[in-house]
Amino acid sequence: MIVLNGASSSGKSTLGRALQDRLPGTWLLYGVDDLVRALPPRLTSPEGIEFSEDGQVRVGPAFRAAEKAWMQGVAHTARCGVNVIIDDVFLGGPAAQARWQEALLDLRVLCVGVHCQPEVGEAREQARGDRVTGMHRQQAQIVHQGVQYDLEVDSAASTPAALAQLVVARLNHP
């Protein structure tokens, strides 16, 4: 298991795809965006998940219940022998990491912090067109505060392939 944590538009998904290209065997890439897309539209509410115009994200109890089930499902996939890369945004910092640690308790996990400068993240948000402008800036610090990593990378400092090589090297030599 590889868990990638970083703010929205920090380069996690791109790194995940580069890892899939570089790592041998089958590696499935699951992102928190997949969970959000799977939610019924009625859960875009205080009970589920809300995205404010300034880029803040708030989650409620219905989202947390769905998230817990999703995490357990992803962990079960890994327990069935399929390699997994997680692309997540630890909005709750160490509490979010603890939820993954609970789900992945008996699995070998490499936790990677993915960073980039706020202006780079904002430019990516605008280029993508499917993000609220300001989301990266809102999340850039809070998603990393108090989180313990095995490796941290700057997605603006190198190519996805080079960053993937760093992650693979760390995976092979813990």
Side-chain angles (χ1 to χ4, degrees):
M1 295 275 313
I2 300 172
V3 176
L4 306 174
N5 174 49
S8 177
S9 300
S10 63
K12 301 176 307 297
S13 299
T14 302
L15 176 55
R17 291 285 180 216
L19 284 164
Q20 286 179 306
D21 287 342
R22 179 152 316 263
L23 289 163
T26 301
W27 285 79
L28 300 179
L29 176 59
Y30 292 113
V32 70
D33 289 345
D34 300 322
L35 171 62
V36 172
R37 279 190 295 274
L39 293 171
R42 66 181 157 69
L43 284 186
T44 305
S45 68
E47 285 296 306
I49 188 166
E50 289 186 301
F51 301 92
S52 20
E53 290 182 18
D54 66 356
Q56 288 189 26
V57 179
R58 293 178 191 85
V59 299
F63 178 85
R64 285 289 179 234
E67 177 191 53
K68 183 174 183 175
W70 176 69
M71 288 175 164
Q72 292 297 325
V74 169
H76 184 71
T77 299
R79 287 186 189 99
C80 288
V82 179
N83 299 304
V84 176
I85 302 167
I86 301 298
D87 164 353
D88 204 350
V89 179
F90 289 3
L91 292 175
Q97 185 174 36
R99 286 191 297 275
W100 272 117
Q101 288 170 332
E102 180 182 334
L104 306 174
L105 188 60
D106 57 336
L107 297 167
R108 181 174 168 233
V109 178
L110 180 74
C111 190
V112 180
V114 181
H115 303 266
C116 72
Q117 296 80 8
E119 54 277 2
V120 172
E122 286 180 353
R124 290 174 181 167
E125 284 174 342
Q126 292 172 358
R128 290 174 72 164
D130 66 346
R131 295 288 186 261
V132 175
T133 301
M135 192 177 286
H136 177 85
R137 193 171 289 277
Q138 286 283 344
Q139 299 171 357
Q141 298 299 317
I142 64 168
V143 301
H144 298 293
Q145 287 176 346
V147 176
Q148 300 291 315
Y149 294 112
D150 299 303
L151 176 67
E152 295 185 63
V153 298
D154 181 344
S155 68
S158 194
T159 67
L163 296 176
Q165 186 57 42
L166 290 173
V167 175
V168 170
R170 183 59 193 253
L171 188 64
N172 291 334
H173 301 4

